[in-house]
Amino acid sequence: MEEKPKNLWKNVEDDKYQLHVTVSTTKSEDTDERIVYIDDLEKREQVYGICGECHEPGTGEKWCQTCNAKRFKNNFKNWTSGNKNIDEFIQQSQLNSVHRFNFLEWIPFEKFQNVTYVAEGGFGKIYSAELPEGDIHYWDIENQIWHRNKSSKYALKSLNNSSDLCSDFLNEIKVNLKIYLQDVIGCLGITQSPNTKEYMMVLYYLDKGNLRNYINTSEYYLDYKSKICKLHQIARGLLDIHNAGFVHKDFHSGNILHNNYPYISDLGMCQPANKQTVKEGGIYGVLPYMAPEVLRGQPYTEAADIYSFGIVMNEFLSEEIPFNDIPHDKFLAIKICNEHRPKISKNVPKLLADLIIKCWDAEIKNRPTTKELYQLLEKWNDEIKNIEDNEDSENVNKNSQNSEIYSQVKECDEIGRKKFESRSNKDKSMDIQTHPQAIYTSRLLNFNNLPKPITSSDLTSFQFNSDTNCAIQSTSANAISVQISESELNGFWQN
């Protein structure tokens, strides 16, 4: 009697290795670098173990590319989406998969239960649904079945006109397959609505919504220690996207989803960093988060994502929606090009405020690289954590006194916690009121003749009066105010 194959996989050390093979490092090159490419068979065996069937080293956690590709191929005859292109697209992902987040399933719509409309964004609709059988995690070698993860809810994301298999729909899925990382929401499969015939991406559903919703609905005080930790995780995801050779292009708080951890989502506008083009007829995005050079029609770069990160960072730390009290129109675009930025709360620790200002600097060269951003947030996060984890140590007072970020966070948290406890529910609801023309979903923007940034340090604020006149206000001791009418302003920019 033939002996049954045995489970010979090893448990992966999450803090030391990624859960998969082909991702870029997010650690510094000289210290504690996480494994990126494990091409060496001996190293792969050491990290993942070996397949109990073919006895070859795994390509990912509990994953054998060779054996799983055969299993998937043998099952091709048992399913079809009804569309040849979709079938081939899914089949290729399965044959080439090296990890459980690196392939797609065709999931018939009737397998979903309790499908519920959630929201509509700039490019499509989101539904929540239950999938009783769950999604594939790995092959259970002892029982010879797929082990499936039964998540409580899944998200079904449709894109406008996806019934015609528009390029945007397939592009987002392709990017998801290339950027299968811990801090980025991956695509698990494809389904199709029987009513609208629109194709839908199947993703994990995060119950706390996006980052903006997480801030506005929190019943507890969000201290700076936890905020720095979450910003560090978001920066890690952005760095992994950039290291994979892509830029996000639509980075804002609505595209950062949250449950216990933050995850970057909506990779539909992602594109290779070395293939930047300027679209004719306008650009897509959420105006308050868009870098001034992008508004002026220049190609989108990693530095533009860093600018957006600065806006998100301030929104998270200051707990204020950027430019929520004014229309998101051409005048706001002009103000952004002239270095007008959202207000930073006085209670934000100075080191964090300085980083925000550096991220949203009008000069690209003054912004930190993604790696610098990640490493600085990691340093602060580790510093605070180490001091608090060693509170009983004799050196804790000495260490805390020597840590500038710890001292600032501790002081600001004392003030912030008291302020939070004194606020009523009515006060909190007043804080999130927005102007009817403040739009926080991605849309087509077409602004012509926008100005180059003002580089003078005296012109750091650009404000408009309610009568549509423009006032340039200096922040220096000898403040000046120059009034320009709307017609004069338009003529000035055209000239």
Side-chain angles (χ1 to χ4, degrees):
M1 184 176 178
E2 186 177 349
E3 186 179 353
K4 287 186 177 181
K6 296 180 180 179
N7 180 12
L8 301 175
W9 298 123
K10 291 184 178 180
N11 292 325
V12 177
E13 299 178 60
D14 292 354
D15 60 340
K16 191 173 182 180
Y17 301 102
Q18 285 278 17
L19 297 179
H20 35 70
V21 183
T22 53
V23 298
S24 298
T25 181
T26 56
K27 293 283 187 180
S28 62
E29 295 177 358
D30 53 352
T31 59
D32 191 24
E33 182 174 353
R34 284 198 288 167
I35 296 301
V36 188
Y37 296 99
I38 309 180
D39 293 325
D40 182 81
L41 294 180
E42 184 177 344
K43 188 68 175 178
R44 274 170 40 191
E45 181 176 340
Q46 177 185 341
V47 175
Y48 301 114
I50 61 174
C51 173
E53 292 179 327
C54 69
H55 297 282
E56 290 293 321
T59 56
E61 186 185 33
K62 297 182 181 180
W63 199 270
C64 175
Q65 180 182 13
T66 302
C67 292
N68 286 342
K70 290 178 182 177
R71 269 185 281 274
F72 283 130
K73 188 173 183 179
N74 290 336
N75 193 48
F76 285 171
K77 62 181 179 293
N78 296 325
W79 64 268
T80 179
S81 67
N83 182 290
K84 182 181 178 182
N85 292 331
I86 287 286
D87 286 355
E88 291 179 353
F89 188 72
I90 294 174
Q91 289 169 4
Q92 285 302 311
S93 76
Q94 294 179 349
L95 294 175
N96 297 324
S97 172
V98 295
H99 183 263
R100 63 184 172 91
F101 287 146
N102 186 225
F103 75 95
L104 303 167
E105 281 189 89
W106 172 255
I107 307 176
F109 193 84
E110 57 266 23
K111 289 190 175 184
F112 292 100
Q113 297 179 1
N114 299 323
V115 179
T116 306
Y117 172 80
V118 175
E120 183 169 4
F123 302 107
K125 299 179 179 68
I126 300 290
Y127 301 82
S128 68
E130 297 171 4
L131 181 62
E133 72 173 16
D135 60 283
I136 290 176
H137 262 213
Y138 59 86
W139 179 255
D140 183 341
I141 200 166
E142 294 174 337
N143 296 307
Q144 292 292 291
I145 57 173
W146 287 112
H147 175 82
R148 290 179 173 270
N149 170 60
K150 293 178 173 59
S151 179
S152 58
K153 279 187 180 181
Y154 293 82
L156 306 181
K157 177 182 177 181
S158 70
L159 290 188
N160 298 331
N161 302 317
S162 62
S163 58
D164 299 324
L165 279 183
C166 66
S167 59
D168 291 339
F169 179 80
L170 293 180
N171 179 64
E172 179 160 357
I173 298 176
K174 288 177 183 177
V175 174
N176 270 278
L177 292 177
K178 291 179 180 178
I179 309 177
Y180 43 104
L181 305 164
Q182 288 176 310
D183 304 298
V184 178
I185 294 291
C187 183
L188 306 171
I190 302 175
T191 189
Q192 185 182 30
S193 168
N195 297 324
T196 65
K197 302 303 179 184
E198 287 184 332
Y199 291 95
M200 296 176 164
M201 285 175 271
V202 182
L203 312 102
Y204 287 127
Y205 182 84
L206 303 188
D207 55 3
K208 287 187 171 62
N210 59 41
L211 191 66
R212 188 181 308 129
N213 184 68
Y214 171 70
I215 298 169
N216 292 336
T217 60
S218 176
E219 297 178 359
Y220 307 98
Y221 172 69
L222 302 175
D223 60 45
Y224 286 104
K225 174 192 171 184
S226 65
K227 286 182 176 180
I228 290 174
C229 180
K230 293 181 189 302
L231 287 169
H232 165 246
Q233 292 164 348
I234 297 169
R236 181 176 63 192
L238 187 60
L239 178 59
D240 279 336
I241 290 173
H242 290 173
N243 280 343
F246 289 85
V247 288
H248 191 284
K249 292 189 66 181
D250 195 23
F251 194 80
H252 57 84
S253 60
N255 280 345
I256 300 172
L257 304 182
H258 197 278
N259 52 13
N260 294 324
Y261 302 94
Y263 295 87
I264 299 173
S265 69
D266 282 10
L267 304 181
M269 291 174 63
C270 256
Q271 68 180 61
N274 61 354
K275 293 184 179 179
Q276 291 294 319
T277 57
V278 179
K279 285 188 176 182
E280 294 183 5
I283 51 177
Y284 283 93
V286 180
L287 181 55
Y289 301 85
M290 298 177 71
E293 70 272 12
V294 174
L295 292 175
R296 295 195 308 274
Q298 295 178 20
Y300 206 108
T301 64
E302 293 177 1
D305 278 344
I306 293 297
Y307 176 94
S308 302
F309 184 96
I311 302 292
V312 170
M313 183 177 176
N314 182 56
E315 179 177 358
F316 191 31
L317 297 178
S318 297
E319 299 190 11
E320 295 284 347
I321 303 174
F323 304 127
N324 67 310
D325 56 348
I326 58 174
H328 294 177
D329 53 15
K330 184 175 181 179
F331 288 119
L332 176 56
I334 293 172
K335 293 168 73 174
I336 291 172
C337 287
N338 285 284
E339 301 194 64
H340 183 72
R341 302 290 183 264
K343 294 178 182 178
I344 301 176
S345 170
K346 294 178 180 179
N347 195 44
V348 172
K350 185 179 184 303
L351 285 173
L352 294 172
D354 290 344
L355 180 58
I356 291 170
I357 293 169
K358 193 172 181 182
C359 285
W360 67 29
D361 197 293
E363 291 287 343
I364 292 176
K365 63 183 181 182
N366 293 336
R367 299 172 199 164
T369 65
T370 322
K371 185 174 181 180
E372 290 170 344
L373 174 68
Y374 169 80
Q375 289 179 334
L376 183 56
L377 288 168
E378 181 180 50
K379 175 180 177 293
W380 290 340
N381 185 55
D382 291 346
E383 211 169 289
I384 295 170
K385 186 175 184 296
N386 288 337
I387 292 174
E388 294 198 344
D389 287 349
N390 296 283
E391 285 181 335
D392 297 331
S393 169
E394 294 179 0
N395 296 323
V396 66
N397 290 331
K398 183 178 178 181
N399 292 337
S400 62
Q401 288 172 1
N402 293 336
S403 172
E404 189 175 357
I405 185 64
Y406 179 80
S407 299
Q408 290 183 13
V409 163
K410 187 176 181 181
E411 181 181 352
C412 290
D413 271 334
E414 289 177 359
I415 300 171
R417 190 171 281 105
K418 290 178 181 178
K419 188 176 180 181
F420 180 85
E421 291 172 353
S422 66
R423 294 168 68 187
S424 66
N425 291 331
K426 182 179 180 181
D427 291 335
K428 193 170 182 65
S429 65
M430 289 291 288
D431 288 345
I432 59 175
Q433 298 300 316
T434 59
H435 192 282
Q437 295 177 42
I439 302 170
Y440 292 95
T441 55
S442 297
R443 58 190 174 122
L444 179 64
L445 302 171
N446 189 2
F447 302 129
N448 297 319
N449 304 316
L450 292 180
K452 293 182 179 180
I454 295 175
T455 56
S456 169
S457 60
D458 284 341
L459 298 178
T460 57
S461 178
F462 205 77
Q463 299 181 348
F464 289 86
N465 297 331
S466 58
D467 61 359
T468 71
N469 285 352
C470 167
I472 305 177
Q473 295 184 337
S474 168
T475 58
S476 66
N478 299 318
I480 59 171
S481 177
V482 181
Q483 300 292 332
I484 307 174
S485 69
E486 182 177 348
S487 59
E488 290 173 328
L489 181 67
N490 290 332
F492 176 75
W493 297 136
Q494 290 171 4
N495 292 333

